[in-house]
Amino acid sequence: MFINGLVRNRIIITGSNGILGQRVVEFYSSKNNIELLTTSVEDSPVSNSAEYVSCDIKCRDKIKKLIYDYCPDFIIHTAAFTNVDLSEKQREETWKINVKGVEYISEAARIIDALMIHISSDYIFDGKDGPYDENSTPNPIGYYGRTKLASENALKISGSLFTILRTNVLYGTAVNSRPDFLRWVIESLNKNEEIRIVDDQINNPTFIDDLVQAINKIIELKKTGVYNIGGPEFLSRFEFTNRIADFFKLNKNLIFAITTKELNQLARRPLKSGLLTLKAEIELGYKSHSLEGSFAIIKKELGI
Ligand SMILES: NC(=O)c1ccc[n+]([C@@H]2O[C@H](COP(=O)([O-])OP(=O)(O)OC[C@H]3O[C@@H](n4cnc5c(N)ncnc54)[C@H](OP(=O)(O)O)[C@@H]3O)[C@@H](O)[C@H]2O)c1
């Protein structure tokens, strides 16, 4: 939309109270060529930096009315049921949020020609032979992963303009959200608590700010399709934890390696995973921060 000769994009951000959602809100609420509406299921926003409407995406009419009334150019869809273990028990709730929610939003997006940017996960893969590229064959081994794959398929047949950004092991600061993995490690080791970390799950952990930059590139270039967004290094969660402890000068003697089997979680996890990002690097100019580069930004933001 042009106002006084300036392009002004109207954006809706769903899941705006979540770890990723908050960071996307922080990024766009500071831009003056953007009109922004944020939404999440809670009654009130965690930050007052933008207009907020509480809406449960399970409610078809409510979420579609919200989209029609605001008529955005872009919908950044970060809302999801993200508790992987709880998904195994609360299957109907997970399906309604992660799949039906995407169906309802894409229906409205199609009608108003909005580009829907959807966040998916490496959990659509079985982790037998990662890392994966955008053409690798999905084979989810847990219910959460099944809903994320079904959400992608729902979008692909929706007839709406869409971009799917697959990511893995998000870390970074969203001030008011539940601690991400990195902050949990720092807080635990600062309290001299022993932590047991799996050494057989391989990923390329993704700095949230890199994913936010990728989302912004999609909007600037109006790119559609599927893109992997991940970090520069493939390493085990145990190695990642030791890199965090090294950088933040924390006691590595409190970090113990265990296997995923020993952790005995409700949901199975893909072990040899990770997402190759060559396509995003070539088509979006995507460039991820080094691990230590991202840690330095987080250190400054957290003031620690
Ligand atoms: N975190 C990771 O490592 C990771 C890895 C791969 C992919 N992803 C994907 O990245 C996206 C963002 O993940 P995240 O870690 O930022 O998730 P998160 O912190 O759990 O945030 C999810 C957001 O969705 C909202 N939400 C949940 N149910 C809803 C409903 N029924 N209606 C409206 N909003 C609802 C939550 O609202 P409330 O806060 O109000 O409950 C929250 O704001 C998700 O699609 C996730 O699947 C995450």
Side-chain angles (χ1 to χ4, degrees):
M1 174 189 302
F2 278 83
I3 297 188
N4 308 336
L6 263 185
V7 174
R8 281 179 70 79
N9 284 320
R10 291 170 69 78
I11 296 179
I12 288 181
I13 300 171
T14 72
S16 58
N17 288 343
I19 288 186
L20 175 60
Q22 276 186 56
R23 205 64 181 164
V24 179
V25 172
E26 282 168 26
F27 178 79
Y28 282 109
S29 51
S30 61
K31 291 198 173 297
N32 50 27
N33 67 329
I34 296 287
E35 291 173 33
L36 191 56
L37 176 67
T38 65
T39 180
S40 212
V41 73
E42 280 164 337
D43 297 342
S44 51
V46 290
S47 77
N48 297 316
S49 54
E51 187 184 351
Y52 177 85
V53 174
S54 168
C55 183
D56 184 337
I57 63 172
K58 298 197 300 294
C59 308
R60 185 186 206 160
D61 297 344
K62 281 207 185 114
I63 187 66
K64 291 179 75 172
K65 182 175 184 325
L66 181 142
I67 293 169
Y68 291 146
D69 290 352
Y70 196 72
C71 204
D73 304 290
F74 302 93
I75 300 169
I76 303 173
H77 182 52
T78 80
F81 189 108
T82 57
N83 185 316
V84 173
D85 291 311
L86 213 48
S87 296
E88 294 295 327
K89 286 196 278 190
Q90 299 184 11
R91 293 189 168 206
E92 190 166 359
E93 179 76 0
T94 307
W95 189 270
K96 281 184 177 163
I97 295 171
N98 290 359
V99 185
K100 303 308 281 182
V102 169
E103 279 179 23
Y104 304 152
I105 294 170
S106 63
E107 285 168 13
R110 181 184 70 234
I111 302 297
I112 63 168
D113 272 339
L115 173 60
M116 180 173 174
I117 300 166
H118 175 52
I119 313 298
S120 188
S121 167
D122 68 311
Y123 275 46
I124 66 170
F125 299 110
D126 58 18
K128 289 203 179 84
D129 55 3
Y132 301 99
D133 67 27
E134 286 79 1
N135 303 313
S136 301
T137 306
N139 180 31
I141 56 177
Y143 198 74
Y144 166 80
R146 280 169 59 185
T147 66
K148 294 306 281 187
L149 179 59
S151 72
E152 292 192 13
N153 294 340
L155 206 42
K156 287 174 180 172
I157 62 169
S158 69
S160 67
L161 293 171
F162 71 86
T163 313
I164 294 169
L165 297 180
R166 293 174 180 161
T167 192
N168 69 145
V169 190
L170 282 179
Y171 70 94
T173 49
V175 181
N176 301 307
S177 77
R178 62 183 165 84
D180 68 314
F181 179 77
L182 180 137
R183 258 196 300 151
W184 171 77
V185 168
I186 294 172
E187 287 165 8
S188 305
L189 298 181
N190 274 333
K191 287 185 280 181
N192 280 322
E193 281 171 10
E194 291 185 353
I195 54 176
R196 301 179 315 147
I197 306 294
V198 293
D199 62 359
D200 56 355
Q201 284 182 38
I202 310 298
N203 289 92
N204 52 328
T206 315
F207 181 35
I208 280 182
D209 292 17
D210 290 339
L211 181 53
V212 172
Q213 289 309 321
I215 291 169
N216 194 47
K217 272 283 175 221
I218 296 288
I219 287 181
E220 281 176 4
L221 303 171
K222 295 191 177 46
K223 280 281 188 184
T224 57
V226 180
Y227 292 91
N228 288 347
I229 302 297
E233 292 186 52
F234 295 88
L235 68 178
S236 76
R237 195 67 67 93
F238 179 72
E239 290 163 327
F240 181 51
T241 307
N242 278 277
R243 295 279 287 276
I244 295 168
D246 277 337
F247 184 87
F248 290 93
K249 300 188 175 25
L250 301 162
N251 181 359
K252 292 201 292 185
N253 300 325
L254 295 169
I255 308 170
F256 295 88
I258 58 167
T259 64
T260 299
K261 197 166 184 325
E262 286 171 297
L263 204 51
N264 193 21
Q265 294 163 304
L266 206 50
R268 295 173 61 199
R269 264 80 173 164
L271 299 183
K272 193 168 177 307
S273 189
L275 298 167
L276 298 166
T277 59
L278 191 58
K279 182 184 177 189
E281 292 163 32
I282 294 169
E283 296 187 16
L284 306 179
Y286 173 69
K287 180 126 189 41
S288 55
H289 285 79
S290 69
L291 287 183
E292 280 69 26
S294 67
F295 296 163
I297 293 169
I298 295 167
K299 183 175 172 50
K300 191 157 164 281
E301 291 236 4
L302 293 178
I304 52 178

